[in-house]
Amino acid sequence: SEAVFKALEALEKDGSLEPAQQRIVQSSLSSMRLSGVGLQGEEKERFNANRIRLSELSTAFSNNLLDATKAFSLTLTEPAQVDGLPPSALALAASRAAEEGEEGATAESGPWRLGLDMPSYLPAMKFLRDRSVREALYRAFVTRAGEVNAPLIRQILQIKQEQASILGFGSYAEVSIERKMAPSVEAVYDLTEMLLAKAFPAAQKELQQLTEFATANGFDGAALALWDVSFWSERLSEHTFGFEQEELRPYFALDNVLDGLFGLCRRLYGVEIVRSDGEAEVWHADVGFFKVLDEASGEHLASFFLDPYARPENKRGGAWMGVCVGRSKVLDRKPVAYLTCNGSPPVDGKPSLMTFDEVTTLFHETGHGLQHMLTKVAHAPAAGISGVEWDAVELPSQFMENWCYDPATVYDAGMAKHYETGEPLPRDLFGKLCEQRTFQAGMGMIRQLMFGALDMRLHHTYDPRGEQTPFELQHELAERYAVLPPLPDDRFLCSFGHIFAGGYSAGYYSYKWAEVLSA
């Protein structure tokens, strides 16, 4: 309200506030200004109506994407169609076929049901030898929710542009930057261009090497297609480093990974994390509940829920940390977090055997959770991630990822040991895993830079009422940022939930911004 706003303005001039309190007042004033507190009459009514409509559109966008992901499946019946798929993926595909009524489905004889959720889609793209199956999956993946979400994109961008104009800004990106570490849109562009100049030549060289390797090893096409890249990249990685990603899975059972992660937290932060299932109600049997205790005193500091596995029938993709309860000294509240991943579930009586990417994702989200849970700030509006600039939020998560390559983390707490024999991950294999960290770093970098640049252009200079479609802008940028152009009917934007159904609008660059700082 305007009365609260004026009271906060008076408080801002009060020299007796603690630093945290001053931060809360300043952040609150900025947030209220950007939320239209100073608007009057028709402008205020239109601004508030737009906020409601944006919320509705974002929810619809997210639900459409979830529905589209759930709706697609590809059932394969011939062994030749699944040739190359590792045993873990075959078991998952057969179990899903059985769940859909295919009685007697087995990993060995099928049928096998593939989907667009990551535990199903990624292994298929990396290992399936049947190029036509990979193409069908890829085309389905990049066109998810295309028809239903395409019109929503324009509407969302139009409303955000109007909101920025009402507030007196030239673009929504300028509104977004007001709450970021980056001083300006131009500073984001400068960082992007600097990284692109370094990464693009490397990416071109990596694609050339990949093409030469594929041609020398049986690929007979004129050029690699988008659905060939993951497959041949995996083969090149195996050739270069002498191991297959699937060899790692038995050494990264979820419970062992948690032991390593919790051991790291004890070492770095002096906290003990204990499983406390049954002490809080959960929404699914897969979900675990944990308490965070001070190692020295045993004091209960915080708690979190961990929802580790993919459930494509009712759970959106990706991984995230959510706030359940924030810390507040006044209300005597301890922090509680939600840590949500979409990892490989247990199959055929085996525990969850994680890919190394899934391991780093778990560490990443735990970094977010620790920032929320281990806060020392007593005042809720500045405690944990509250009030932290969005491009700074990714710092703890990027920092935690780095420890996945730390020998003490991997070995001392039993994080990487065979789930059946208890034998630790061979040291030479760990060394190769560390070497692999920079494999195709150029192509990985330009992919992320493309997403960030597209996000910023859509929210800064793009005219959503003009003739150019968002997809045409995507293709325009791809000429500078991609070594392989997207398909003509690519509708990646229709699944870009980060910016259309999440908090990353004109902020996707935050991942690279934080990565540079955390390094």
Side-chain angles (χ1 to χ4, degrees):
S1 71
E2 194 168 342
V4 173
F5 182 76
K6 289 180 178 179
L8 287 171
E9 282 186 316
L11 272 176
E12 188 179 24
K13 301 170 185 176
D14 188 335
S16 65
L17 295 178
E18 302 170 6
Q21 293 173 325
Q22 188 70 27
R23 168 76 172 178
I24 291 167
V25 170
Q26 292 172 347
S27 297
S28 297
L29 285 170
S30 175
S31 179
M32 292 175 80
R33 291 187 186 103
L34 298 178
S35 297
V37 72
L39 301 175
Q40 302 292 331
E42 183 182 337
E43 277 193 337
K44 184 174 184 177
E45 291 180 8
R46 192 162 82 253
F47 189 88
N48 290 335
N50 282 346
R51 291 180 67 182
I52 294 171
R53 181 59 180 152
L54 276 174
S55 177
E56 294 171 347
L57 290 170
S58 295
T59 300
F61 187 99
S62 182
N63 288 341
N64 290 341
L65 178 58
L66 177 60
D67 290 343
T69 302
K70 285 194 303 182
F72 178 87
S73 68
L74 182 63
T75 299
L76 305 175
T77 57
E78 297 298 324
Q81 294 177 301
V82 294
D83 184 29
L85 208 60
S88 60
L90 288 170
L92 179 62
S95 70
R96 290 188 174 177
E99 290 170 3
E100 292 300 311
E102 297 284 355
E103 295 185 11
T106 66
E108 294 75 20
S109 59
W112 304 271
R113 185 172 183 260
L114 303 179
L116 301 181
D117 59 295
M118 288 301 104
S120 179
Y121 177 77
L122 282 182
M125 297 307 294
K126 287 182 176 183
F127 297 104
L128 279 178
R129 299 186 183 281
D130 191 322
R131 195 174 183 230
S132 64
V133 176
R134 297 201 310 268
E135 179 180 358
L137 286 169
Y138 182 85
R139 288 183 179 277
F141 189 80
V142 299
T143 56
R144 284 178 299 164
E147 292 186 7
V148 287
N149 277 349
L152 301 190
I153 290 174
R154 286 246 195 192
Q155 293 178 55
I156 290 170
L157 292 173
Q158 287 172 8
I159 294 174
K160 286 182 176 178
Q161 187 180 71
E162 183 179 0
Q163 296 293 78
S165 178
I166 292 173
L167 292 172
F169 290 89
S171 71
Y172 183 80
E174 293 178 1
V175 177
S176 175
I177 288 294
E178 286 288 303
R179 304 182 185 183
K180 304 293 195 297
M181 287 177 66
S184 65
V185 175
E186 287 67 31
V188 175
Y189 283 154
D190 288 345
L191 176 70
T192 302
E193 288 298 320
M194 182 270 288
L195 293 174
L196 181 64
K198 301 291 185 182
F200 196 81
Q204 288 178 309
K205 184 178 180 180
E206 288 164 0
L207 180 62
Q208 180 183 351
Q209 292 172 339
L210 183 64
T211 302
E212 291 171 355
F213 174 81
T215 301
N217 287 274
F219 177 73
D220 57 3
L224 291 177
L226 290 158
W227 46 88
D228 296 320
V229 173
S230 294
F231 176 81
W232 285 108
S233 293
E234 195 68 19
R235 305 291 79 73
L236 178 56
S237 174
E238 293 165 0
H239 173 78
T240 303
F241 301 106
F243 75 95
E244 299 180 8
Q245 286 292 332
E246 283 297 302
E247 292 179 46
L248 299 175
R249 276 188 189 263
Y251 293 97
F252 290 109
L254 175 61
D255 285 345
N256 294 339
V257 172
L258 290 177
D259 287 343
L261 174 58
F262 297 166
L264 174 66
C265 292
R266 186 185 310 112
R267 182 157 53 104
L268 294 182
Y269 309 113
V271 296
E272 193 79 31
I273 300 176
V274 296
R275 184 178 285 274
S276 304
D277 292 337
E279 295 189 26
E281 185 178 357
V282 296
W283 55 95
H284 191 278
D286 292 343
V287 178
F289 182 68
F290 300 81
K291 286 184 176 179
V292 182
L293 311 177
D294 182 88
E295 184 184 17
S297 67
E299 178 190 357
H300 176 209
L301 303 175
S303 307
F304 66 92
F305 296 90
L306 174 62
D307 188 350
Y309 311 132
R311 293 189 299 277
E313 70 279 2
N314 58 18
K315 180 181 175 183
R316 67 181 173 92
W320 62 94
M321 190 284 291
V323 173
C324 178
V325 177
R327 181 174 188 237
S328 172
K329 183 177 180 181
V330 172
L331 299 176
D332 192 27
R333 285 190 328 205
K334 298 181 187 297
V336 182
Y338 300 114
L339 303 185
T340 305
C341 299
N342 269 274
S344 301
V347 177
D348 283 353
K350 297 178 181 179
S352 169
L353 301 178
M354 305 173 72
T355 67
F356 194 69
D357 283 344
E358 290 171 349
V359 173
T360 57
T361 296
L362 176 60
F363 273 62
H364 179 105
E365 298 308 329
T366 302
H368 286 307
L370 290 170
Q371 184 178 20
H372 170 64
M373 293 185 287
L374 300 186
T375 181
K376 301 289 187 181
V377 179
H379 309 291
I385 64 170
S386 298
V388 177
E389 290 85 351
W390 204 257
D391 45 2
V393 164
E394 293 299 331
L395 279 169
S397 52
Q398 298 281 5
F399 172 75
M400 285 296 289
E401 282 190 40
N402 294 332
W403 293 95
C404 293
Y405 298 90
D406 170 54
T409 302
V410 172
Y411 288 102
D412 289 359
M415 171 172 145
K417 64 181 181 181
H418 198 282
Y419 78 102
E420 289 179 319
T421 67
E423 289 295 314
L425 178 72
R427 291 278 178 166
D428 63 331
L429 189 52
F430 176 67
K432 293 175 182 178
L433 181 61
C434 293
E435 290 176 19
Q436 191 194 45
R437 189 177 186 183
T438 57
F439 177 67
Q440 293 187 344
M443 290 201 291
M445 173 69 80
I446 63 170
R447 179 176 181 269
Q448 288 298 103
L449 293 176
M450 169 73 181
F451 293 164
L454 179 58
D455 167 40
M456 195 59 77
R457 280 283 298 273
L458 284 169
H459 289 99
H460 189 51
T461 58
Y462 175 71
D463 181 5
R465 292 179 173 82
E467 292 184 4
Q468 187 185 43
T469 70
F471 312 110
E472 288 169 345
L473 175 62
Q474 176 190 351
H475 281 78
E476 175 188 317
L477 289 182
E479 293 178 7
R480 290 197 65 227
Y481 287 87
V483 289
L484 282 177
L487 297 176
D489 60 343
D490 184 292
R491 290 297 180 266
F492 154 73
L493 282 170
C494 294
S495 61
F496 202 178
H498 274 77
I499 69 171
F500 295 118
Y504 284 84
S505 301
Y508 195 85
Y509 77 90
S510 300
Y511 286 103
K512 285 303 169 192
W513 187 275
E515 187 176 336
V516 169
L517 294 179
S518 70

